[in-house]
Amino acid sequence: MEWTRESRYKKYSEWDAETLLKLQAQATASKYQMSYHIRPQSGLLNDPNGFSYFNDEYHVFYQSYPFGAVHGLKSWVHLTSPDLVHWKNLGLAINADTKYDSHGAYSGSARVIDDKLFLMYTGNHRSKEWVRYPYQIGAIMDKDNNITKLDKPMIEPVDHITEHFRDPQLLKHRDEYFVILGAQDAETKTGKISLFRSKDLKNWQDLGYLDFTEEEMGYMVECPNLVFVDDQPVLIFCPQGLDKKVADYENIYPNMYIVGSDVRLDKAKFNTDQKAPLNLDDGFDVYATQAFNAPNGKAYAISWIGLPDISYPTDSENWANCLSQVKELSIVDGELYQRPVPSMASLREEGTLVRSEEVFDGQQIVHSAASKHYELKLDLAAGQNGKLFLAANKDLSQGIEINFSTADDAFLTVDRSKAGIPFAEDYGTTRTIALPANKQLSLDIFVDGSVCEIFVNNGRHTLTLRFFAPDGNNKIAFTSDKKLQYTGTYWNMKNI
Amino acid sequence: MEWTRESRYKKYSEWDAETLLKLQAQATASKYQMSYHIRPQSGLLNDPNGFSYFNDEYHVFYQSYPFGAVHGLKSWVHLTSPDLVHWKNLGLAINADTKYDSHGAYSGSARVIDDKLFLMYTGNHRSKEWVRYPYQIGAIMDKDNNITKLDKPMIEPVDHITEHFRDPQLLKHRDEYFVILGAQDAETKTGKISLFRSKDLKNWQDLGYLDFTEEEMGYMVECPNLVFVDDQPVLIFCPQGLDKKVADYENIYPNMYIVGSDVRLDKAKFNTDQKAPLNLDDGFDVYATQAFNAPNGKAYAISWIGLPDISYPTDSENWANCLSQVKELSIVDGELYQRPVPSMASLREEGTLVRSEEVFDGQQIVHSAASKHYELKLDLAAGQNGKLFLAANKDLSQGIEINFSTADDAFLTVDRSKAGIPFAEDYGTTRTIALPANKQLSLDIFVDGSVCEIFVNNGRHTLTLRFFAPDGNNKIAFTSDKKLQYTGTYWNMKNI
């Protein structure tokens, strides 16, 4: 169907239920579907929202448009989990049903306050003349997961910020509440992180912008997220239109981070020794990552696997995107690490040991017919060059190609140009990271339908990508000039 | 809301999607919800349909009305499983969208024919004057799960059967196709099993009624199902209005079976030495059981846990009922046994050994705070009398009470009168089975939200019940005049 402004913003109550049931069945039946990642029941999923721990379980919400693979009238869908791995989809949680969120219940955060989960999100309102008014809205969720929106917005539009003013993260810092928000400065039309302060969650003081960089952050910053990792403040955000001289990236919009030395929100100051923002994920498809500090002392992150303004092959199946697995954050020798949570191991079926096979027809076969849903851990000895193929056909002319060296000029390149249906090619088909010279390389690779998450060297890097392989491309194999030395384990993964 | 004929038969396309999303969220959020049984995404579930093995996986469908806990316009929802335990809900599969099934795609069966799954079901059509015409419809599912309905009904209404003519089971017997159907004889208004024969699935010969009993089977027989168990034919069916002198039962309508000595469908003859039909399940809530012979040589059964014309407490939450776990059928010493399939063990978390505890305050506590989703295996020594309480409060004044004797007059009684919200009390609140005198009693008890399935003596009996316990009633304990001797294991159960 042709999507118009009118159809995209049609109320859910004006869609018919048969259409929805068919869209749900269509999404579920897709051969590209994930089985252990959070995915939309139908339609489009984007940002994770309200990632938190409350009432003895983890909560996450996602931005949902149930009626197609377009950014239409958004709502929040709610999921809960005991272990950050097994998620239960509780369905529609925040609908666009008030004046202040009439054109979408946009992204936001959650924070436990007293015995409730306090949600704060951006209500997207458009006037008849289609002028956008962003309202920052509060809502309170009780222990039965009932959500009540506050009558009035917590923060109204402000003069010094354009209509691009969204994605509030509610924080508590030195006994006061703060909100950081993505913003576009009205005068300079540059990307900013807006900052507000309150003692009572009612009266909010505009503190202007957070000072976290000397550089211009493009024309907009989305999804700012402050989290403490091993006691260091880490600022995660999505600058749009960022000059690549400021920080290198290849995706249409990057999801970046800065590790800070200290932060004083009351002084609007985030100090860092880091020269420039870095990509949170070195792959193709991570955006809008949300992280929070859990009561167990750990910092957890979850990402949208998908990017704004990119068409994905499942658009034709009327669904799009998924969330990443949850990643545990840590800082080791000043570097941010992202690791799978330990509970991910509970998804493993019985493992198969992987050892250096003999070279046959130029290949060392790891698995001749892998499942669509697996984990593969590999340790590759130092001093080698080769290629690892995932989701490959028999002669390896198709597949995800992971080119690597563990010798002097050590690197890893993921090439998805021959992985299947092409998409987002304007932004390149390879991603490369440098590796430490002459060291063993450890890979922890998660494949789930059309998603691949690669954890490099115990989480020092992650590379995330979507791929849409032809049926039957299920081979895993190495090629090299000479026999490669490696060990590892392969597990089929259970559904969540 | 008040349900009218008009609202119950409103097309799915005339319902709005927001209502459906809210119904789905409401069903999922219910504290009575099952986590390892097949349950409706929203609304009402009834009969299992099309239980089969095809394309390397198991298939089952269920009768669905998504918009409330009423028997409205029915469709088929499709699920698949690799192991008969982990089911994936693929959503709407057969909708009521032709003239012949305009008022409901009612129950039916599935059979692999060539490389397709052939589905046969009853299309419910009503004229403007609300006269019902039952059509037996064929549909073909390919390996991508696409279903195409045949243009014309396979079997039209026939003169000697009233409008009550439904639930076709397609069979192959001695190189011909047969269909057995539930029927009400037009002249006598008694329950019959109608029988048709075809060589080509196109031209069907009416063979009249299957001769399987001398007795009158009430005013209607629903869901006839022929399956071979250890090479013996077993006829499962649901007689409505059956005289209790013919066969004893307590539920509003029983689900019964007859073990046959031999069957000749071409001669319309099912021979048996069994004196009278027996209850397939000795509990409260099993109906419409469907069984089939799988390619692995085993016979599997699955039941609707729910009964026609009974209101359940979750009706107020706009959802109702679930399917049973799959039961493997066998015949041991002439008796039909139903056992959990081995894969059920894959749902077990780490087990806790259960041993005879000391009596304290008159109780022997098995678990002071059980999960809502568990399996409990118990072996009770011979020569004892006592009570086992499940989902009980602290002083055991509330709970499911299982009264038993393993002494001379051995028996087991399940009493749900104090288990929580009362329902279906007109049909009694206890069910009793006789047990062999002075023998050890083995129980394998599955509790899942508001469902309890009790397998007695390795499947010699099953007792299935719904119960709706108050929050916090999670104790498992014995009471007796003296200390009871028992051993066992308790497992929390994973979600499917």
Side-chain angles (χ1 to χ4, degrees):
Chain A
M1 70 181 276
E2 271 301 310
W3 287 98
T4 61
R5 178 191 287 178
E6 198 186 3
S7 60
R8 279 189 292 128
Y9 288 91
K10 199 163 82 172
K11 286 183 183 171
Y12 293 9
S13 59
E14 288 165 11
W15 284 91
D16 81 83
E18 184 178 16
T19 298
L20 181 64
L21 286 168
K22 288 181 173 173
L23 288 167
Q24 290 177 339
Q26 186 180 29
T28 304
S30 171
K31 67 178 180 177
Y32 301 115
Q33 200 49 272
M34 286 62 75
S35 71
Y36 64 91
H37 285 74
I38 294 170
R39 57 97 172 169
Q41 301 300 97
S42 65
L44 181 140
L45 166 158
N46 56 305
D47 308 356
N49 293 158
F51 190 26
S52 54
Y53 185 85
F54 168 64
N55 195 22
D56 300 330
E57 54 188 355
Y58 292 96
H59 297 257
V60 75
F61 302 78
Y62 64 76
Q63 284 283 293
S64 168
Y65 180 66
F67 302 104
V70 296
H71 289 270
L73 184 65
K74 295 289 176 67
S75 58
W76 285 35
V77 166
H78 185 193
L79 300 100
T80 56
S81 173
D83 61 2
L84 296 165
V85 170
H86 295 87
W87 291 98
K88 180 171 170 181
N89 191 320
L90 299 175
L92 180 64
I94 300 183
N95 203 355
D97 56 9
T98 70
K99 180 197 155 183
Y100 300 109
D101 58 12
S102 59
H103 291 70
Y106 280 7
S107 286
S109 59
R111 174 162 208 91
V112 179
I113 295 180
D114 302 326
D115 61 343
K116 301 285 198 298
L117 190 68
F118 196 99
L119 309 174
M120 189 169 177
Y121 69 98
T122 300
N124 183 43
H125 173 71
R126 296 258 191 193
S127 68
K128 278 182 191 152
E129 297 73 31
W130 209 246
V131 177
R132 173 187 277 179
Y133 295 90
Y135 295 103
Q136 314 310 325
I137 297 175
I140 290 170
M141 190 175 89
D142 66 20
K143 290 191 172 180
D144 293 324
N145 296 329
N146 295 314
I147 295 173
T148 309
K149 295 180 188 178
L150 303 188
D151 286 343
K152 287 276 164 66
M154 296 168 70
I155 300 173
E156 301 259 349
V158 293
D159 285 343
H160 68 91
I161 297 171
T162 70
E163 60 172 350
H164 296 293
F165 181 36
R166 55 181 172 263
D167 312 333
Q169 186 194 16
L170 180 60
L171 295 157
K172 199 166 187 183
H173 181 66
R174 302 172 77 96
D175 269 343
E176 293 180 302
Y177 292 107
F178 291 86
V179 176
I180 58 173
L181 294 119
Q184 182 182 58
D185 181 62
E187 195 185 322
T188 61
K189 301 286 190 296
T190 55
K192 297 289 182 186
I193 295 178
S194 159
L195 181 64
F196 282 75
R197 170 165 65 181
S198 175
K199 288 195 185 304
D200 56 7
L201 292 169
K202 284 173 190 149
N203 299 294
W204 289 91
Q205 179 191 6
D206 184 349
L207 299 185
Y209 301 125
L210 181 69
D211 177 11
F212 68 102
T213 177
E214 303 283 296
E215 303 288 350
E216 226 171 63
M217 285 294 115
Y219 58 80
M220 175 62 184
V221 169
E222 290 195 312
C223 304
N225 185 102
L226 179 64
V227 64
F228 288 82
V229 182
D230 296 322
D231 295 328
Q232 282 189 262
V234 175
L235 189 63
I236 298 170
F237 59 104
C238 299
Q240 297 190 325
L242 180 68
D243 189 331
K244 290 185 184 179
K245 287 179 205 140
V246 173
D248 198 32
Y249 64 94
E250 292 177 87
N251 297 348
I252 182 169
Y253 308 115
N255 194 172
M256 299 196 134
Y257 74 96
I258 303 174
V259 177
S261 50
D262 67 292
V263 63
R264 283 292 295 263
L265 292 178
D266 52 324
K267 297 182 176 170
K269 188 73 191 143
F270 179 93
N271 292 310
T272 180
D273 304 322
Q274 189 175 312
K275 289 192 193 84
L278 291 168
N279 290 303
L280 188 61
D281 185 279
D282 292 296
F284 297 85
D285 295 288
V286 154
Y287 198 76
T289 300
Q290 200 169 80
F292 83 106
N293 291 101
N296 65 1
K298 296 189 187 296
Y300 296 115
I302 191 166
S303 310
W304 175 25
I305 302 183
L307 291 170
D309 303 331
I310 295 292
S311 295
Y312 285 87
T314 62
D315 289 3
S316 64
E317 297 177 348
N318 300 312
W319 70 278
N321 312 323
C322 66
L323 295 188
S324 73
Q325 63 175 283
V326 173
K327 294 162 278 195
E328 188 180 322
L329 304 181
S330 57
I331 291 179
V332 181
D333 296 335
E335 306 283 1
L336 185 68
Y337 278 64
Q338 302 174 70
R339 294 193 179 95
V341 297
S343 303
M344 280 300 280
S346 69
L347 296 181
R348 293 171 179 164
E349 304 275 6
E350 205 177 338
T352 312
L353 285 184
V354 171
R355 271 180 283 245
S356 293
E357 298 292 330
E358 292 307 315
V359 180
F360 187 78
D361 263 357
Q363 302 182 14
Q364 288 171 274
I365 294 175
V366 176
H367 203 305
S368 57
S371 143
K372 282 183 170 180
H373 312 280
Y374 65 83
E375 180 185 355
L376 173 63
K377 284 192 85 156
L378 287 172
D379 289 321
L380 308 166
Q384 306 189 100
N385 295 285
K387 290 179 183 176
L388 171 64
F389 292 83
L390 308 174
N393 64 349
K394 220 172 164 188
D395 67 4
L396 310 185
S397 60
Q398 300 173 351
I400 300 169
E401 183 181 311
I402 302 174
N403 199 344
F404 65 89
S405 166
T406 56
D408 289 344
D409 293 319
F411 71 93
L412 181 144
T413 296
V414 177
D415 181 346
R416 68 175 176 187
S417 62
K418 288 170 285 181
I421 304 172
F423 65 103
E425 288 178 301
D426 290 350
Y427 303 94
T429 57
T430 64
R431 295 290 183 271
T432 297
I433 54 172
L435 295 176
N438 297 303
K439 297 277 187 195
Q440 174 182 286
L441 169 62
S442 292
L443 300 177
D444 193 357
I445 299 170
F446 293 84
V447 167
D448 187 16
S450 52
V451 164
C452 177
E453 291 171 303
I454 304 171
F455 293 83
V456 178
N457 289 338
N458 298 310
R460 174 66 190 87
H461 297 274
T462 65
L463 295 100
T464 300
L465 62 147
R466 298 296 302 280
F467 67 100
F468 300 88
D471 283 341
N473 279 17
N474 54 9
K475 192 175 193 175
I476 308 173
F478 285 100
T479 63
S480 176
D481 290 342
K482 53 182 185 177
K483 184 182 169 184
L484 291 167
Q485 297 302 321
Y486 56 86
T487 60
T489 312
Y490 168 95
W491 297 270
N492 286 331
M493 294 289 264
K494 294 172 196 160
N495 298 351
I496 60 167
Chain B
M1 72 181 274
E2 271 302 309
W3 287 97
T4 61
R5 178 192 287 178
E6 198 186 3
S7 60
R8 279 188 291 128
Y9 288 92
K10 199 163 82 171
K11 286 184 183 171
Y12 292 9
S13 59
E14 288 165 11
W15 283 91
D16 81 82
E18 183 178 16
T19 297
L20 181 64
L21 286 168
K22 288 181 174 175
L23 288 167
Q24 290 177 339
Q26 186 180 29
T28 304
S30 171
K31 67 178 180 177
Y32 301 116
Q33 200 50 271
M34 286 61 75
S35 71
Y36 64 92
H37 284 75
I38 294 171
R39 57 96 173 171
Q41 302 300 96
S42 65
L44 181 139
L45 166 157
N46 55 304
D47 308 356
N49 293 158
F51 190 26
S52 54
Y53 185 85
F54 168 64
N55 195 22
D56 301 329
E57 53 188 355
Y58 292 96
H59 297 258
V60 74
F61 302 79
Y62 63 77
Q63 283 283 292
S64 167
Y65 180 66
F67 302 104
V70 296
H71 289 270
L73 184 65
K74 295 289 175 66
S75 58
W76 285 35
V77 166
H78 185 193
L79 300 100
T80 56
S81 173
D83 61 2
L84 296 164
V85 170
H86 295 87
W87 291 97
K88 181 172 169 179
N89 191 319
L90 299 175
L92 180 65
I94 300 183
N95 203 355
D97 56 8
T98 70
K99 179 196 155 183
Y100 300 109
D101 58 13
S102 59
H103 291 70
Y106 281 6
S107 286
S109 59
R111 176 163 207 91
V112 179
I113 295 180
D114 301 326
D115 61 343
K116 301 285 196 299
L117 190 68
F118 196 98
L119 309 174
M120 188 169 178
Y121 69 99
T122 300
N124 183 44
H125 173 70
R126 296 260 191 191
S127 69
K128 279 182 191 152
E129 297 73 32
W130 210 246
V131 177
R132 172 187 277 179
Y133 295 90
Y135 295 102
Q136 314 311 325
I137 297 175
I140 291 170
M141 190 175 87
D142 66 20
K143 291 192 172 180
D144 293 324
N145 296 329
N146 295 314
I147 295 173
T148 309
K149 295 180 188 178
L150 302 188
D151 286 343
K152 288 276 165 65
M154 296 169 69
I155 300 174
E156 302 259 349
V158 293
D159 286 343
H160 68 91
I161 297 171
T162 70
E163 60 171 352
H164 296 293
F165 181 37
R166 55 181 172 264
D167 312 333
Q169 186 194 16
L170 180 60
L171 295 157
K172 199 166 188 182
H173 182 66
R174 302 172 78 95
D175 268 343
E176 293 180 303
Y177 291 107
F178 292 86
V179 176
I180 58 173
L181 294 119
Q184 181 182 58
D185 181 63
E187 195 184 322
T188 61
K189 302 287 190 295
T190 55
K192 297 288 182 187
I193 295 178
S194 159
L195 181 65
F196 283 75
R197 170 165 65 181
S198 174
K199 288 196 185 304
D200 56 8
L201 292 169
K202 284 173 190 149
N203 299 294
W204 289 91
Q205 179 191 5
D206 184 349
L207 298 185
Y209 301 125
L210 181 69
D211 177 10
F212 67 101
T213 178
E214 304 282 296
E215 303 288 349
E216 225 171 63
M217 285 294 115
Y219 58 80
M220 175 62 184
V221 168
E222 290 195 312
C223 304
N225 185 102
L226 179 64
V227 64
F228 288 82
V229 182
D230 296 322
D231 295 329
Q232 282 189 262
V234 175
L235 189 64
I236 298 170
F237 58 104
C238 299
Q240 296 190 325
L242 180 68
D243 189 331
K244 291 184 184 180
K245 286 180 207 139
V246 173
D248 198 32
Y249 64 95
E250 291 177 87
N251 297 347
I252 182 170
Y253 309 116
N255 194 171
M256 299 195 134
Y257 73 96
I258 303 174
V259 177
S261 50
D262 67 292
V263 63
R264 282 293 294 263
L265 292 178
D266 52 324
K267 297 183 176 170
K269 188 72 191 143
F270 179 93
N271 292 310
T272 180
D273 303 322
Q274 189 174 310
K275 290 193 192 84
L278 291 168
N279 290 304
L280 188 60
D281 185 279
D282 292 296
F284 296 85
D285 295 289
V286 154
Y287 198 76
T289 300
Q290 200 169 80
F292 84 106
N293 291 101
N296 64 1
K298 296 190 187 295
Y300 296 115
I302 192 166
S303 310
W304 175 25
I305 302 184
L307 291 169
D309 303 330
I310 295 291
S311 295
Y312 285 87
T314 62
D315 290 3
S316 64
E317 297 177 348
N318 300 311
W319 70 278
N321 311 324
C322 66
L323 295 188
S324 73
Q325 63 175 283
V326 173
K327 294 162 278 195
E328 187 180 324
L329 305 180
S330 58
I331 291 178
V332 181
D333 297 334
E335 306 283 2
L336 185 68
Y337 278 64
Q338 302 173 69
R339 294 193 179 94
V341 297
S343 302
M344 280 299 280
S346 70
L347 296 181
R348 294 172 178 163
E349 303 276 5
E350 204 178 338
T352 311
L353 285 184
V354 171
R355 271 181 283 246
S356 294
E357 298 292 330
E358 291 307 316
V359 179
F360 187 78
D361 263 358
Q363 303 181 14
Q364 287 171 275
I365 295 176
V366 176
H367 204 305
S368 57
S371 142
K372 281 182 169 180
H373 313 280
Y374 65 83
E375 179 186 356
L376 173 63
K377 285 192 85 156
L378 286 172
D379 289 322
L380 308 166
Q384 306 189 100
N385 295 285
K387 290 179 182 175
L388 170 64
F389 292 83
L390 308 174
N393 64 349
K394 220 171 165 189
D395 68 3
L396 310 185
S397 59
Q398 300 173 351
I400 300 169
E401 184 181 310
I402 302 174
N403 199 344
F404 65 89
S405 167
T406 56
D408 290 344
D409 293 319
F411 71 93
L412 181 144
T413 296
V414 177
D415 181 346
R416 68 175 176 187
S417 63
K418 287 170 286 182
I421 304 172
F423 65 103
E425 288 177 299
D426 290 351
Y427 303 93
T429 57
T430 64
R431 295 290 184 271
T432 297
I433 54 171
L435 295 176
N438 297 303
K439 296 277 187 197
Q440 175 183 284
L441 169 62
S442 292
L443 300 177
D444 193 357
I445 299 170
F446 293 84
V447 167
D448 187 17
S450 51
V451 164
C452 177
E453 291 171 302
I454 304 171
F455 293 83
V456 178
N457 288 339
N458 297 311
R460 174 66 191 87
H461 297 274
T462 65
L463 295 100
T464 300
L465 62 146
R466 298 295 302 280
F467 67 100
F468 300 87
D471 283 341
N473 279 17
N474 54 9
K475 192 176 194 175
I476 308 173
F478 285 101
T479 63
S480 176
D481 290 342
K482 53 182 184 177
K483 184 181 169 184
L484 292 168
Q485 297 302 321
Y486 56 87
T487 60
T489 312
Y490 168 95
W491 297 270
N492 286 331
M493 294 290 263
K494 294 173 195 158
N495 298 352
I496 60 167

